[in-house]
Amino acid sequence: MNTAAAVAQALAEAGIQKAFGLPGGEVLVLIDELRKAGIDFVLMRHEANAGIAAAVYGKITRQPGVVIATLGPGAANLLLPVANAYLDAEPLLAITAQLPDDSPGTHTHQLLPLHETFRPMCRVVEKITQTNAREVVGKALSACMDRPYGVSYLTLSAKEALKPLLTNGGRFGDGPPTAPMANPASRAADLRSRCAMAQRPLVLIGLGVDANRAAPLRRWLDQWQLPFAVTPKVKGIVDETSPNFVGVISGMAADGLMVDALKAADLLIGFGLDPVEIDKTWHAELPIQWVLETRNAANAMPEGAQLVNHLALLEELMEGRPPKTWGRPFASFQQQRADLLKGSAGAPHAMWPGDLIRALADAVPSDTIVTTDVGSHKYLFGQFWPSRHPETFWMSNGLSGMAYGLSAAIGAKLARPDVPVLAAVGDGGFSMNAQELETAERIGAPFITVVLEDQAYSLIKLSQENKQLEPYRMDFNPIDTVKVAEACGVQALRTSNPDELAAAVRQAVRENESLVAGVPVHYADYRKLF
Ligand SMILES: Cc1ncc(C[n+]2csc(CCOP(=O)(O)OP(=O)(O)O)c2C)c(N)n1
């Protein structure tokens, strides 16, 4: 067995069924060994997109997503998804080629300091050799799955890939040391007495809550009738159509209103709340009772915070009667939030963003997985999309990198072919990776893409206006969304009519077919929502 085959075998034995990527000559042997080991290689159009799709696929399937790229430029293109998985806590194993150690010192073609570049964001960074292949793959995979999920990075030179494996033993890594945990009973008693004294408690649920805690978390919130808010990365962990749902915190639309609600609370419980998602500093200024089960992404722990097992804590909290009743202390904020969506478009032939949300939410089943890109449309969907089920909403929010939504949709559809997937992206982000529509068609991962067309990097344009700078270089000419989609083999339409949009989306869902809908919006309308 050669080293590449040992890598493939270790991956297959760990249950990996797909590896995403874009090849170069240096990884061909590895890709061939993956094929022989029964691991499907999902060929994509850009390494960054492949890495994002892999990480989302991995998180949904509860295993590391695997992405393969060549050395040099291929590896350099992986910087974005590695950064994203690092800050957004998604499990990703990246494997790229590298020049062999015994290349002549003057052979610098495509030579980059890859280990040094990736090390700060990765848990395991190692060179795969003919003696360590199985062990190192196991160690890298298991490190990705330590919560919060994270990234490992391995290199395998084309030369080493062909060398015979010298050991075939190997054992999975021990993982990082566990942090000391608080006693759930005393933490529960403390929270109970704080709640008993509070008039306006608000539970802030964040990225640090595992999706498999959704049911007990919902039971506790329901039993105590506590008001709650969420960050975008856990949208759907609680039902956002519940009367106790106050809104989405951490920099989405209506953020000023949400921060006012936070300030109006007299008890903030940060249940898995991770500041990596928060673009302001209120998390450091307001007193928050941190209830964390794992370290935060990027290993940042709030001062004095202890870890506690969420499941055990929730069970303790649900022992006995709720400490108090609160009614609806945030009703006025909830009403103002709902009112924001009422309005009409500020330009002819544009759709009002509120109508867009309503039309889509009416057209798709509640278990539809929604992904977004980064921009004004992310703020819109992050705040107002009514998520109801865990892991049905995906955005880059720790890194906040554009060009996430479409790739994430591919990973999500491969992981959950049984549910519809809808990507909401800006026309700027769409032009970064629209070519992956062809990938989706080719591999049989149909999803719906809604492109919010405003011919601008609108979020940055609004920011330029807010700073009272000269309007400068934020607009671009349209690239015809419909023609791009059709060129990739996907049916498409453009409409600013909500009913027409809903009808087309319903049909695509019914027939499990891809659809791209270009929806003209007026950039200044976002201002009314922010
Ligand atoms: C890779 C990357 N480059 C740049 C940015 C900065 N940025 C954030 S939002 C945005 C505009 C996005 O424009 P578009 O995709 O059209 O969405 P819109 O804001 O118009 O909804 C930019 C350039 C980023 N977050 N990520």
Side-chain angles (χ1 to χ4, degrees), residues 80 373-379 399-403 425-432 452-462 474 476 521 523 526:
L80 182 91
D373 235 85
V374 172
S376 300
H377 64 283
K378 158 177 145 167
Y379 289 14
L399 181 69
S400 291
M402 289 169 71
V425 303
D427 46 2
F430 185 65
S431 65
M432 281 182 165
L452 288 87
E453 300 175 336
D454 51 19
Q455 287 96 54
Y457 293 123
S458 82
L459 187 66
I460 312 303
K461 181 170 164 142
L462 290 168
M474 290 299 142
F476 41 72
V521 290
Y523 88 96
Y526 288 122

Side-chain angles (χ1 to χ4, degrees), residues 147-148 178-182 184 187 206-214 270-273 290-296 301 305-314:
R147 290 187 52 220
T178 45
M181 305 290 277
R187 195 77 184 92
L207 174 59
V209 184
D210 196 87
N212 66 21
R213 308 289 199 235
F271 207 98
L273 182 69
W290 297 95
V291 184
L292 304 179
E293 188 171 45
T294 66
R295 293 182 179 90
N296 289 331
M301 284 281 284
Q306 268 191 316
L307 302 183
V308 65
N309 181 291
H310 278 165
L311 202 54
L313 175 71
L314 288 166

Side-chain angles (χ1 to χ4, degrees), residues 51 94 129 162 181 226 232 236 244 246 253 263 267 340 347 361 399 418 422 474:
T129 67
L162 287 168
M181 305 290 277
L226 277 162
N244 290 323
V246 175
K263 289 182 180 157
L267 174 63
L340 275 173
L399 181 69
D418 55 316
L422 186 152
M474 290 299 142

Side-chain angles (χ1 to χ4, degrees), residues 353-373:
D355 291 342
L356 175 65
I357 294 284
R358 259 189 299 274
L360 292 173
D362 281 352
V364 298
S366 68
D367 58 357
T368 298
I369 294 179
V370 174
T371 69
T372 75
D373 235 85

Side-chain angles (χ1 to χ4, degrees), residues 361-438:
D362 281 352
V364 298
S366 68
D367 58 357
T368 298
I369 294 179
V370 174
T371 69
T372 75
D373 235 85
V374 172
S376 300
H377 64 283
K378 158 177 145 167
Y379 289 14
L380 170 73
F381 277 78
Q383 183 60 263
F384 293 112
W385 183 258
S387 298
R388 303 196 64 181
H389 307 286
E391 298 194 315
T392 55
F393 194 89
W394 295 80
M395 72 160 59
S396 170
N397 206 34
L399 181 69
S400 291
M402 289 169 71
Y404 175 91
L406 207 131
S407 309
I410 292 176
K413 187 66 185 179
L414 285 176
R416 291 291 313 275
D418 55 316
V419 296
V421 175
L422 186 152
V425 303
D427 46 2
F430 185 65
S431 65
M432 281 182 165
N433 62 2
Q435 71 277 19
E436 301 295 355
L437 290 171
E438 182 278 326

